[in-house]
Amino acid sequence: SVGLRHEAFKNYNNDKVVYVKQLAENAPRIGFSWDVNGDSTFKVFGNAGRYYLAMPSNVAIRAANGSYYTSEYFAYSGIDANGLPTGLRPIGPGEVSANNEFGQAKDPRTVAARGLDPEYQDEYILGFEKAFNQEWTYGAKLTFRNLRNAIDDMCPYMGYQPFANYLEANGTPYDLDYVSGCFLFNPGKANSFMLDPLGTGEYQTFKLSNADLGFQKLKRRYYALDTFIEHPFDGKWYGKLEYTFSRSYGNAEGQTKSDIGQADVSTTQDWDNPYIMVGANGPLPNDRTHQVKAYGYYQITPEWQVGARATIQSGRPKNCLGYWGNGDGTTTDIIGYGSSYEFCEGVFAPRGSKGRYPWTEQLDLNVAYRPAFADHKLAFTIDVFNVFDSNKITSAYEQAEIAERGRNPVTGQLDPVPYDPAYQMPISYMTPRYVRFGITYDF
């Protein structure tokens, strides 16, 4: 089978003005299934396709409309009985914004790169299923997914000024206020931007290479080998055992950043600045190398059926995020992003280099009663999930530091690492044991 899906996207700001338009995206797909022996005992199948993803409308909240996101800094002289600072004294210029978000309206012409391409990935699948005998079948499937394009925002501010550098190199005058802020773009490739560098209403188009922007190439790849052995239902019982070996790695998880719990869809802190992306390539948060699943059911009588499902999987990768390391043990918040760099105690610690969270094991049980008086179409069910109430940690807080680390000016010794008290505190556990009761009727 061969197919072609044509897709088009438009995104509007809250004034109903289009700020992103993508009108000519073609997604081809091809698939096949071959009955090798002609008797349904051996099947080979495959698929290749391209899949696009529309940019969610909530991107417009901050990226396309005026947003207010600021901080103020103070020194203090003490702490009162309630734990609140006393003797506050302002530090610095007052309100500051790492992304230049002071509530100013966004010009829809400059919000996003010109000709912004949608996010898409290519997927390839090849597998087989074969009957071992009349009672057992087995099979395997290879899957490969490659993220070809993504959308996120970059934020030329706080020392990162690719537009200013480009304009200076070309002898074009500019006002920094009009070439700062955040801009939606396609990470890891050349982008064209429309800017009004002096705020005079005279717009110019600037094409910046990926080298001009200073980023690494976009990368997210997933490959998996799925294997199984299955006993089809023979009137008495059914069973299936599955094992999956997989890897998910690269420098772009997707539209959110789950390792720090950031849900700013397509506007995560990734790709804001090249410094954030140093060391970002590695196993991604959803990388679980090994997964084993076993499930089945047994028909005790025509009315009663019991079943079980067991899941065992390896843990996701661990990270330690800190302040930028200067190479001598000291650290700096080099672009105002706090504990967000792939450094730990001033030492380079690339993504996924701190080991893994523990393996998780879960057993679920169920029972169903289908009375004969309803011709077995009515069913009363009970499902017990996580029977043994396993409570393994599945994620933890990974931002390790709360301040820069310096040296004692008298002794020259390194100051203690300013650990965040929340570092390594659990964020999520396995879902506790719970029971679900159900009533269904098959028409």
Side-chain angles (χ1 to χ4, degrees):
S1 62
V2 178
L4 179 67
R5 180 183 176 93
H6 180 81
E7 298 182 281
F9 310 106
K10 288 183 180 179
N11 288 75
Y12 297 80
N13 63 15
N14 60 6
D15 293 322
K16 300 182 180 179
V17 177
V18 175
Y19 67 94
V20 170
K21 183 187 297 184
Q22 301 156 336
L23 298 180
E25 310 304 336
N26 294 307
R29 289 94 184 267
I30 183 171
F32 76 93
S33 180
W34 177 29
D35 185 358
V36 179
N37 298 326
D39 59 1
S40 300
T41 60
F42 184 21
K43 180 178 74 172
V44 177
F45 59 91
N47 182 75
R50 175 163 292 180
Y51 302 89
Y52 285 91
L53 189 64
M55 188 166 62
S57 57
N58 69 334
V59 171
I61 295 173
R62 288 180 65 187
N65 296 295
S67 56
Y68 193 78
Y69 191 68
T70 66
S71 300
E72 293 181 74
Y73 293 90
F74 299 84
Y76 61 97
S77 59
I79 300 292
D80 66 17
N82 296 316
L84 301 176
T86 60
L88 291 177
R89 185 174 70 257
I91 299 175
E95 287 186 315
V96 296
S97 173
N99 294 331
N100 198 26
E101 295 179 84
F102 292 100
Q104 67 272 31
K106 306 286 179 63
D107 186 334
R109 290 170 290 188
T110 65
V111 165
R114 314 309 296 169
L116 187 73
D117 293 325
E119 184 167 330
Y120 71 92
Q121 73 176 13
D122 292 338
E123 180 182 78
Y124 305 91
I125 295 174
L126 181 65
F128 77 91
E129 295 180 9
K130 194 174 189 307
F132 184 74
N133 53 37
Q134 292 185 343
E135 296 182 350
W136 293 93
T137 61
Y138 64 96
K141 180 179 70 173
L142 288 169
T143 302
F144 176 70
R145 299 188 184 112
N146 188 12
L147 181 67
R148 294 290 191 179
N149 196 65
I151 296 175
D152 213 304
D153 65 335
M154 67 168 187
C155 299
Y157 196 64
M158 297 292 286
Y160 171 57
Q161 296 295 350
F163 294 136
N165 296 339
Y166 181 87
L167 293 167
E168 288 176 2
N170 289 276
T172 304
Y174 66 91
D175 183 330
L176 195 59
D177 287 341
Y178 294 98
V179 294
S180 297
C182 294
F183 303 84
L184 295 170
F185 80 127
N186 295 133
K189 60 192 294 186
N191 286 259
S192 294
F193 300 87
M194 179 177 285
L195 297 176
D196 177 10
L198 290 173
T200 59
E202 297 182 7
Y203 290 86
Q204 303 177 46
T205 300
F206 302 92
K207 185 173 182 178
L208 276 65
S209 68
N210 192 45
D212 293 330
L213 296 172
F215 289 107
Q216 54 193 270
K217 294 291 186 180
L218 173 76
K219 184 178 183 181
R220 188 187 75 198
R221 293 173 185 167
Y222 170 84
Y223 60 84
L225 171 63
D226 295 285
T227 61
F228 76 90
I229 183 169
E230 181 179 31
H231 182 282
F233 184 61
D234 58 2
K236 200 66 177 177
W237 72 283
Y238 167 86
K240 189 173 185 179
L241 175 66
E242 297 178 339
Y243 168 72
T244 298
F245 172 84
S246 64
R247 294 302 307 270
S248 178
Y249 62 95
N251 55 24
E253 178 187 359
Q255 293 187 330
T256 58
K257 186 174 175 62
S258 65
D259 49 6
I260 65 168
Q262 186 178 16
D264 291 344
V265 182
S266 288
T267 55
T268 68
Q269 71 177 30
D270 284 348
W271 306 103
D272 280 9
N273 190 296
Y275 287 103
I276 291 290
M277 298 305 295
V278 173
N281 189 49
L284 294 167
N286 65 341
D287 180 65
R288 295 182 181 273
T289 308
H290 305 284
Q291 296 185 63
V292 179
K293 297 178 182 179
Y295 48 94
Y297 53 86
Y298 184 80
Q299 195 75 43
I300 302 174
T301 70
E303 290 77 29
W304 288 94
Q305 182 186 89
V306 293
R309 178 187 181 94
T311 304
I312 303 171
Q313 56 185 358
S314 56
R316 59 185 278 176
K318 283 184 178 181
N319 302 292
C320 178
L321 301 172
Y323 281 67
W324 182 269
N326 297 319
D328 61 354
T330 64
T331 60
T332 304
D333 189 0
I334 195 166
I335 55 168
Y337 273 61
S339 187
S340 297
Y341 310 94
E342 303 286 351
F343 285 83
C344 189
E345 299 182 2
V347 178
F348 184 51
R351 183 193 292 273
S353 61
K354 294 300 179 180
R356 295 269 174 169
Y357 289 96
W359 285 61
T360 58
E361 306 85 20
Q362 179 169 323
L363 176 65
D364 307 327
L365 299 177
N366 62 79
V367 60
Y369 172 63
R370 294 180 174 86
F373 67 78
D375 197 23
H376 306 298
K377 294 181 178 180
L378 177 66
F380 301 89
T381 61
I382 301 175
D383 295 271
V384 183
F385 298 92
N386 194 3
V387 172
F388 296 111
D389 201 24
S390 181
N391 64 343
K392 298 283 187 66
I393 296 171
T394 55
S395 67
Y397 189 76
E398 296 181 336
Q399 293 179 278
E401 299 162 13
I402 56 173
E404 299 176 350
R405 184 190 191 191
R407 288 183 181 274
N408 187 299
V410 176
T411 65
Q413 297 296 313
L414 285 171
D415 294 333
V417 177
Y419 280 115
D420 188 327
Y423 176 52
Q424 294 186 335
M425 288 185 64
I427 292 177
S428 62
Y429 294 87
M430 295 174 62
T431 302
R433 182 197 302 121
Y434 68 99
V435 181
R436 182 177 67 196
F437 300 91
I439 301 175
T440 63
Y441 187 84
D442 298 329
F443 293 94

